[in-house]
Amino acid sequence: MFHSGLDFFGQPVSNRPAIHEELFNIAYYGNGFTHNELYNMPIPLRRFYAQKLVDAKNKEAEQIKKSTQSNQGPTQPFNTQKS
């Protein structure tokens, strides 16, 4: 039987790398989902969790940036002249 690259209700074969990248990222960085759970999860729900993960990581990066900037603060130049 001829296979056109499309599943009956599925995605084209060309989308598989992006789908598996999303599955990997949620499983690896999301701490709690397995690959099988994500693979069998309804797509809208999986996209919801992917977006929540992106939002959380962006918020975390923003807090780290603010913390780093506030810790640096104004510094006085080092005096290299002999007294």
Side-chain angles (χ1 to χ4, degrees):
M1 185 169 171
F2 178 74
H3 190 8
S4 66
L6 291 175
D7 294 326
F8 185 68
F9 284 112
Q11 295 286 320
V13 174
S14 61
N15 287 356
R16 286 185 184 162
I19 292 168
H20 285 278
E21 175 100 14
E22 181 179 66
L23 295 174
F24 171 79
N25 286 335
I26 298 171
Y28 187 80
Y29 298 108
N31 298 332
F33 291 109
T34 66
H35 179 271
N36 286 338
E37 289 172 335
L38 293 166
Y39 191 81
N40 295 312
M41 186 180 287
I43 293 171
L45 188 56
R46 189 173 72 218
R47 295 278 162 86
F48 170 81
Y49 285 119
Q51 188 58 51
K52 287 293 188 182
L53 181 59
V54 168
D55 294 344
K57 292 296 181 178
N58 285 339
K59 186 176 180 180
E60 181 181 309
E62 186 178 307
Q63 289 174 341
I64 290 170
K65 184 178 177 182
K66 284 181 183 179
S67 175
T68 303
Q69 288 174 347
S70 66
N71 286 342
Q72 289 177 354
T75 58
Q76 296 197 3
F78 184 69
N79 188 0
T80 58
Q81 294 177 348
K82 293 183 179 179
S83 316

